[in-house]
Amino acid sequence: MRRTRRRTTSLRTVLSALIVTGACATAGFVPAATATAQPPASDGVLAAMQRDFGLTRGQAETRLATEKAATATERQARKAAGSGYAGSWFTARDGRLTVALADGAKADAVRATGADVRLVDHSARQLDAAKARIDDLKAPTGVASWRVDWQANSVVVDVVAGQRSDNDVKDFLARARRAGGALKVETTDHAPGTLAAGTVGGDPFYTGNVRCSIGFSVQGGFVTAGHCGGAGQGVNGWDGSYIGNIQGSSFPDNDYAWVNVGSGWWTVPVVLGWGTVSDQLVRGSAEAPIGASICRSGSTSHWHCGTVLAKNETVNYSQGAVHEMTKTNVCAEPGDSGGSFISGDQAQGVTSGGWGDCTGGGETWYQPINEILNRFGLTLNTA
């Protein structure tokens, strides 16, 4: 947060409250140098996982450790599978990573990495190519999203309930089938929407009358959602003071933006716990597999956890389709847009949109952080 003479809060608390949302918190920031060993996550992340997954602390720690191991295994297995790689997913029940494989000759090499193998017909490259052809189509509002489903080894299109017989939807599905990729059609009761909100005093940052949440610190600024504002717009903090400008933004097609930080503001590698849980240091951006646990911080609904459900999903908002999104069953609410998705201490992405709320539950999509960093040539701030 911005330094002013009015604020007598210690540097420790200021740093804790600074980056992710710009709002005050009482939980302390613990520099990495003071720790004798790095725990799998902060007490806050573990507490949120216990609440949202019904786990004990020991079970939460074990799950994070097995997910971290699965993330490392996935990289090795993907290399061993080569062109036969057809996706992967983590199963929390047994702590195993499964790799789908379209080339049986590579099965032993993949198993040698510690992963289980499922033989399938279509490689990830084939399915991604089929989905890319569907991405070129213009979807009607009755189509909620489409994605490559690695476990089903197909491209899945979600149609809003009651819209299957709509002529525009039927035409879209006919064209999508011609794209190939073993197309499957499923029904959803919910249409996705973005999660920006009108101005509310005391919240983290504003572009005009829109309130959103800061995602992650990068060198020179922070990243957030693209639908929160366009390039060149000024950004103000929770206290109304000027932070900087949106340097780059894309929405729809993508949903990401980055903001330069100056005027007395600065950045630290912290995701805010909002006083409900302790704050979490960010140590990297290793991508968690499907099935892994994940937590989200936002300025409206604060800390909530869930599971990674799908990757590379195209979400069809009313403003247009957004590509390469990751779907989770973490809840979110208006104003949480742009906020942080984190797995353990690894940054995952920024909140885009979804359906539902944190009373009745729902699903939320995020734009992966590594895509954003690569797109703008940014470097993640890490502890």
Side-chain angles (χ1 to χ4, degrees):
M1 76 184 52
R2 190 181 180 187
R3 288 172 285 187
T4 68
R5 295 180 180 176
R6 300 193 305 273
R7 283 208 160 313
T8 58
T9 312
S10 70
L11 176 61
R12 178 183 175 193
T13 302
V14 169
L15 286 174
S16 174
L18 163 65
I19 175 58
V20 178
T21 52
C24 294
T26 57
F29 170 91
V30 182
T34 67
T36 57
Q38 291 183 10
S42 71
D43 289 342
V45 169
L46 294 171
M49 290 180 67
Q50 291 175 71
R51 178 196 65 199
D52 291 340
F53 290 117
L55 303 176
T56 65
R57 181 183 177 93
Q59 289 170 332
E61 289 176 335
T62 298
R63 176 160 178 171
L64 286 173
T66 55
E67 289 174 354
K68 184 175 182 179
T71 299
T73 298
E74 196 277 339
R75 289 195 293 267
Q76 298 170 0
R78 182 188 287 259
K79 183 177 180 179
S83 61
Y85 179 78
S88 62
W89 56 91
F90 174 81
T91 305
R93 181 180 61 257
D94 55 15
R96 299 290 297 173
L97 180 79
T98 300
V99 174
L101 188 62
D103 181 357
K106 301 291 182 64
D108 288 343
V110 173
R111 290 191 183 99
T113 68
D116 296 332
V117 170
R118 179 187 295 179
L119 296 178
V120 297
D121 295 327
H122 307 286
S123 71
R125 184 177 300 172
Q126 291 170 325
L127 294 173
D128 286 343
K131 179 184 173 291
R133 290 191 290 271
I134 299 174
D135 284 342
D136 289 335
L137 306 177
K138 182 173 176 58
T141 56
V143 176
S145 64
W146 54 97
R147 65 189 179 279
V148 171
D149 187 325
W150 286 338
Q151 290 174 271
N153 197 231
S154 65
V155 178
V156 175
V157 178
D158 284 328
V159 175
V160 178
Q163 298 294 312
R164 183 75 177 265
S165 60
D166 178 84
N167 287 334
D168 290 338
V169 171
K170 289 193 293 185
D171 178 66
F172 176 85
L173 293 177
R175 288 181 290 145
R177 287 189 179 93
R178 290 195 291 272
L183 189 77
K184 290 179 62 177
V185 180
E186 296 182 355
T187 301
T188 177
D189 292 330
H190 307 279
T194 56
L195 295 167
T199 300
V200 177
D203 280 310
F205 86 88
Y206 310 97
T207 54
N209 66 344
V210 172
R211 169 170 60 87
C212 281
S213 301
I214 295 172
F216 291 96
S217 291
V218 296
Q219 291 185 11
F222 64 82
V223 294
T224 187
H227 70 262
C228 293
Q233 279 192 269
V235 173
N236 295 321
W238 68 272
D239 61 354
S241 64
Y242 176 74
I243 297 177
N245 291 86
I246 298 176
Q247 299 297 298
S249 178
S250 178
F251 180 79
D253 186 30
N254 306 289
D255 194 5
Y256 47 59
W258 84 279
V259 178
N260 67 326
V261 168
S263 303
W265 293 70
W266 71 99
T267 61
V268 292
V270 174
V271 173
L272 186 64
W274 287 93
T276 302
V277 298
S278 56
D279 301 333
Q280 176 63 46
L281 290 171
V282 178
R283 302 188 188 277
S285 59
E287 184 179 340
I290 291 173
S293 63
I294 196 164
C295 296
R296 182 192 55 72
S297 179
S299 60
T300 300
S301 57
H302 303 165
W303 264 106
H304 289 276
C305 297
T307 302
V308 178
L309 300 179
K311 297 184 180 182
N312 191 23
E313 184 154 359
T314 298
V315 181
N316 191 35
Y317 295 129
S318 61
Q319 300 95 330
V322 176
H323 306 99
E324 298 182 42
M325 302 270 269
T326 298
K327 179 164 69 175
T328 75
N329 60 7
V330 186
C331 67
E333 297 181 357
D336 288 329
S337 277
S340 321
F341 265 94
I342 189 167
S343 181
D345 57 10
Q346 299 295 303
Q348 299 298 308
V350 301
T351 304
S352 174
W355 61 266
D357 56 36
C358 290
T359 299
E363 292 178 334
T364 305
W365 286 267
Y366 66 81
Q367 191 92 70
I369 183 67
N370 289 327
E371 178 187 357
I372 304 171
L373 299 177
N374 291 336
R375 167 63 181 81
F376 294 118
L378 301 170
T379 301
L380 184 70
N381 275 8
T382 57

